[in-house]
Amino acid sequence: YRVAMVTAFASVPEFRERLVERWAELRDGPLSEANLLQRVETYRAILGDEAYANFEVWPMDEINFTWDNTNWLCPVETYDEEMLRLQDWLTSRLAWMDTNVASF
């Protein structure tokens, strides 16, 4: 059902045009890279030292959840490393969206 709905929306040129416009509006405001990275930092501040304690209790680098030769947990050794991974993913995903939203 969802695929049919998305396909139907994608077939309407006016919808596609408005989607591109709206994405640009959001990227200049609430979905700007700076805003989103600041939100991550805000959440990081709220979590404080407890996030570091989580890595002491649950040593992620020792957990191996492998399926089909892929460790799906993307193990990291520290909270700081995890935060860098999250920020890299976020900026990469925004760049991908910027490149691909017009071809929806």
Side-chain angles (χ1 to χ4, degrees):
Y1 174 74
R2 286 183 275 172
V3 172
M5 186 173 68
V6 170
T7 302
F9 282 138
S11 69
V12 178
E14 295 83 7
F15 175 82
R16 289 194 319 267
E17 290 170 16
R18 184 63 186 118
L19 175 68
V20 170
E21 290 172 10
R22 182 64 176 145
W23 178 252
E25 291 169 7
L26 292 171
R27 288 290 282 134
D28 285 338
L31 295 183
S32 71
E33 186 174 310
N35 275 348
L36 292 174
L37 291 175
Q38 180 57 49
R39 181 170 289 200
V40 169
E41 287 304 315
T42 298
Y43 294 146
R44 188 175 185 171
I46 291 169
L47 290 172
D49 290 338
E50 295 304 314
Y52 292 97
N54 181 67
F55 273 76
E56 292 174 16
V57 172
W58 303 101
M60 297 300 289
D61 61 325
E62 296 176 12
I63 298 172
N64 185 1
F65 182 72
T66 301
W67 178 70
D68 196 25
N69 294 321
T70 302
N71 187 346
W72 291 97
L73 291 181
C74 303
V76 295
E77 293 184 19
T78 67
Y79 176 60
D80 292 328
E81 188 179 337
E82 177 65 14
M83 292 306 300
L84 288 174
R85 193 177 71 80
L86 172 65
Q87 292 166 345
D88 287 346
W89 179 86
L90 182 59
T91 56
S92 295
R93 184 62 177 178
L94 291 170
W96 183 89
M97 291 289 295
D98 291 342
T99 300
N100 291 285
V101 73
S103 64
F104 167 70

